[in-house]
């Protein structure tokens, strides 16, 4: 056997097809981009639903109300917090 020649076994192709990694599959990047865009659109819709209503609340008031609710600060609850947490947030999450 000559050392410079390849044997027929080494030239043979594998019997099973190898699947490309997930990121190399055709359309994977487009699907990932579309999913990211839909998630951002949904978050923007929830944010808009929290800001829109008959009681005019600023973005800072909405963030403050959600933050106080998450921290669980005891004491009197401002009316703005009640509007955000009990009216607008459930409406936005259900929608």
């Amino acid at each position: 056997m000559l050392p410079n020649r390849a044997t027929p076994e080494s030239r043979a192709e594998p019997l099973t097809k190898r699947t490309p990694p997930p990121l190399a599959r055709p359309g994977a990047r487009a699907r990932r981009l579309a999913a990211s865009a839909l998630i951002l659109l949904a978050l923007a819709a929830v944010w808009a639903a929290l800001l829109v209503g008959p009681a005019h609340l600023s973005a800072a008031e909405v963030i403050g109300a959600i933050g106080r609710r998450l921290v669980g600060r005891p004491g009197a609850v401002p009316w703005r917090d009640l509007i955000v947490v009990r009216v607008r947030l459930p409406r936005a999450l259900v929608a």
Side-chain angles (χ1 to χ4, degrees):
M1 182 180 214
L2 297 172
N4 292 346
R5 290 191 134 175
T7 62
E9 294 84 22
S10 65
R11 283 187 270 148
E13 292 185 25
L15 295 176
T16 58
K17 262 188 161 179
R18 290 186 184 172
T19 58
L23 297 179
R25 291 187 186 142
R29 183 174 180 172
R31 282 191 299 272
R32 191 175 56 220
L33 183 63
S36 299
L38 287 175
I39 289 171
L40 287 176
L41 183 65
L43 289 175
V46 169
W47 183 248
L50 289 174
L51 293 176
V52 173
H56 301 287
L57 300 175
S58 69
E61 291 171 331
V62 171
I63 291 171
I66 293 172
R68 283 186 290 276
R69 179 67 176 195
L70 291 175
V71 173
R73 192 178 96 187
V77 179
W79 63 272
R80 290 177 176 92
D81 290 9
L82 292 176
I83 289 174
V84 171
V85 174
R86 292 198 178 169
V87 177
R88 292 185 182 179
L89 187 61
R91 179 187 66 189
L93 294 178
V94 168

